[in-house]
Amino acid sequence: MRLLSAIAMLALLTGPASAQMMNLMPEVKTMSPEEKEQDAIRQKAYRDSLRQIPDNKSSVDPWGNVRSDAPKAAAPAKQPRTKTGSATH
Protein backbone atom coordinates (compact mmCIF):
# COMPACT_ATOMS: atom_id res chain seq x y z
CA MET A 1 0.00 0.00 0.00
CA ARG A 2 2.88 2.37 0.78
CA LEU A 3 4.35 1.70 -2.65
CA LEU A 4 1.11 2.71 -4.37
CA SER A 5 0.80 5.90 -2.34
CA ALA A 6 4.44 6.77 -3.07
CA ILE A 7 3.88 6.26 -6.80
CA ALA A 8 0.70 8.33 -6.68
CA MET A 9 2.49 11.18 -4.88
CA LEU A 10 5.35 11.07 -7.38
CA ALA A 11 2.90 11.21 -10.29
CA LEU A 12 1.04 14.13 -8.76
CA LEU A 13 4.23 16.09 -8.17
CA THR A 14 5.79 15.51 -11.60
CA GLY A 15 2.66 16.34 -13.60
CA PRO A 16 2.77 20.14 -13.15
CA ALA A 17 6.54 20.23 -13.59
CA SER A 18 6.35 18.51 -16.96
CA ALA A 19 3.58 20.86 -18.07
CA GLN A 20 5.80 23.84 -17.32
CA MET A 21 8.69 22.43 -19.33
CA MET A 22 6.61 22.43 -22.50
CA ASN A 23 6.44 26.25 -22.58
CA LEU A 24 10.19 26.81 -22.35
CA MET A 25 10.63 26.80 -26.11
CA PRO A 26 7.92 28.98 -27.62
CA GLU A 27 7.42 28.96 -31.34
CA VAL A 28 9.33 31.59 -33.29
CA LYS A 29 6.82 34.06 -34.69
CA THR A 30 7.78 36.01 -37.79
CA MET A 31 6.13 39.25 -38.76
CA SER A 32 4.69 39.94 -42.19
CA PRO A 33 5.86 43.07 -44.03
CA GLU A 34 2.55 44.80 -43.22
CA GLU A 35 2.98 44.03 -39.52
CA LYS A 36 6.56 45.33 -39.62
CA GLU A 37 5.37 48.56 -41.26
CA GLN A 38 2.61 49.02 -38.66
CA ASP A 39 5.09 48.35 -35.87
CA ALA A 40 7.48 50.95 -37.30
CA ILE A 41 4.62 53.50 -37.46
CA ARG A 42 3.69 52.76 -33.84
CA GLN A 43 7.30 53.09 -32.70
CA LYS A 44 7.68 56.44 -34.51
CA ALA A 45 4.45 57.75 -32.95
CA TYR A 46 5.66 56.63 -29.52
CA ARG A 47 9.01 58.38 -29.94
CA ASP A 48 7.28 61.55 -31.17
CA SER A 49 4.94 61.54 -28.18
CA LEU A 50 7.93 61.21 -25.82
CA ARG A 51 9.57 64.24 -27.44
CA GLN A 52 6.44 66.32 -26.77
CA ILE A 53 6.66 65.82 -23.01
CA PRO A 54 8.18 69.00 -21.53
CA ASP A 55 11.32 68.76 -19.44
CA ASN A 56 10.69 69.25 -15.75
CA LYS A 57 13.30 71.76 -14.66
CA SER A 58 11.62 72.87 -11.47
CA SER A 59 12.91 72.07 -8.04
CA VAL A 60 11.85 68.80 -6.47
CA ASP A 61 11.70 70.33 -3.01
CA PRO A 62 8.16 70.03 -1.61
CA TRP A 63 9.03 72.28 1.33
CA GLY A 64 10.67 74.91 -0.84
CA ASN A 65 7.83 77.40 -0.54
CA VAL A 66 7.87 77.06 3.26
CA ARG A 67 11.57 77.75 3.69
CA SER A 68 13.17 81.00 2.66
CA ASP A 69 16.46 80.93 0.79
CA ALA A 70 17.66 84.05 2.62
CA PRO A 71 20.42 83.45 5.14
CA LYS A 72 19.20 83.20 8.70
CA ALA A 73 19.59 86.28 10.87
CA ALA A 74 22.21 86.18 13.56
CA ALA A 75 20.96 84.76 16.83
CA PRO A 76 20.01 87.49 19.34
CA ALA A 77 22.53 88.15 22.07
CA LYS A 78 21.98 86.01 25.11
CA GLN A 79 20.72 87.77 28.17
CA PRO A 80 22.43 87.07 31.46
CA ARG A 81 20.50 84.67 33.65
CA THR A 82 19.69 85.16 37.28
CA LYS A 83 20.19 82.61 40.01
CA THR A 84 16.71 81.21 39.39
CA GLY A 85 17.52 80.56 35.75
CA SER A 86 15.12 83.05 34.18
CA ALA A 87 16.29 85.89 31.96
CA THR A 88 16.30 89.40 33.33
CA HIS A 89 13.98 91.93 31.77
Side-chain angles (χ1 to χ4, degrees), residues 13-88:
L13 292 174
T14 57
S18 64
Q20 289 177 356
M21 293 297 289
M22 297 217 176
N23 292 333
L24 288 178
M25 298 183 62
E27 298 173 8
V28 177
K29 183 179 179 185
T30 58
M31 295 174 67
S32 68
E34 294 84 18
E35 289 174 332
K36 288 180 183 179
E37 184 178 340
Q38 290 175 353
D39 189 41
I41 291 170
R42 272 191 302 255
Q43 290 293 328
K44 184 179 183 305
Y46 173 72
R47 280 185 258 123
D48 290 343
S49 68
L50 286 180
R51 286 189 195 113
Q52 293 176 357
I53 298 173
D55 292 336
N56 186 6
K57 296 186 181 190
S58 65
S59 174
V60 189
D61 186 11
W63 289 91
N65 59 351
V66 176
R67 287 192 294 270
S68 66
D69 290 338
K72 293 184 178 180
K78 292 186 178 181
Q79 297 177 355
R81 297 202 178 259
T82 60
K83 291 183 180 179
T84 60
S86 61
T88 59

